Amino acid sequence: MLIPWEILCEDNEETQNLLEKIVEVAAADPLIFDAVVRGILHQNPYIRIQAAEMAERVTQVRPLFLTPYKRLLLKELAFIEEMEVRQQVALLYGRVFWDEWDLKQVVVLLGEWIEKKQAEQIVNNSLESLHTLAMQKEWISPIYFQHLKNAREETKLPFHDLTIPE
């Protein structure tokens, strides 16, 4: 099934209902999820944003659906500059089981996004993914806590609910 991306560009109630149905179907069918993920690379920026939001929602309940897209996450999605897309994609990195080499690249990438301070939501979502990864691998914890501390000091905002060890 192809996703009717052009129809989804309209902003009305019928489109929103269709979006909800596609998210439900994509959460049940990896082939539909594939079309959603490929939508993140679409030429139309609005479609990229919609697809990123859909992928994020599906992977909340089906994180293993991201497994075949590790290369795509590292090689293509990492370079999308749109803030609305990046803030959704940032959450996806914490939902993948990475091998050690790729995990190091992901930690560096998320750290760069945090340091860029493009948008508060990108920083927060990157921190959330780093936190999730730090729960899996102990070596990430000091990196996570340093980024968290820097983000809190620079923005004076209460990022994440975790306390920073002294």
Side-chain angles (χ1 to χ4, degrees), residues 70-71 74 93-94 96-111 129-130 132-140 143:
K70 290 179 180 182
R71 294 283 106 203
L74 284 173
Y93 291 98
V96 175
F97 293 105
W98 300 97
D99 63 42
E100 204 67 24
W101 171 255
D102 289 340
L103 183 57
K104 289 176 184 175
Q105 293 179 60
V106 168
V107 170
V108 168
L109 174 68
L110 293 171
S129 280
L130 259 184
T132 302
L133 296 171
M135 300 296 283
Q136 299 169 20
K137 297 286 185 173
E138 192 174 310
W139 67 265
I140 300 173
I143 298 167

Side-chain angles (χ1 to χ4, degrees), residues 37 40-41 48 52 66 69-83 85-93 98 102-114 116 118 122 126:
V37 172
I40 301 173
L41 299 172
R48 284 194 300 268
L66 284 170
Y69 302 98
K70 290 179 180 182
R71 294 283 106 203
L72 189 71
L73 280 162
L74 284 173
K75 301 296 181 193
E76 294 184 52
L77 300 184
F79 298 104
I80 294 176
E81 293 286 331
E82 280 170 287
M83 290 191 297
V85 175
R86 185 169 281 181
Q87 76 183 31
Q88 301 300 325
V89 170
L91 290 168
L92 303 181
Y93 291 98
W98 300 97
D102 289 340
L103 183 57
K104 289 176 184 175
Q105 293 179 60
V106 168
V107 170
V108 168
L109 174 68
L110 293 171
E112 288 172 358
W113 288 0
I114 293 165
K116 276 186 181 179
Q118 269 185 316
I122 294 172
S126 296

Side-chain angles (χ1 to χ4, degrees), residues 41-52:
L41 299 172
H42 199 279
Q43 291 177 323
N44 183 321
Y46 184 76
I47 292 172
R48 284 194 300 268
I49 293 166
Q50 290 282 25

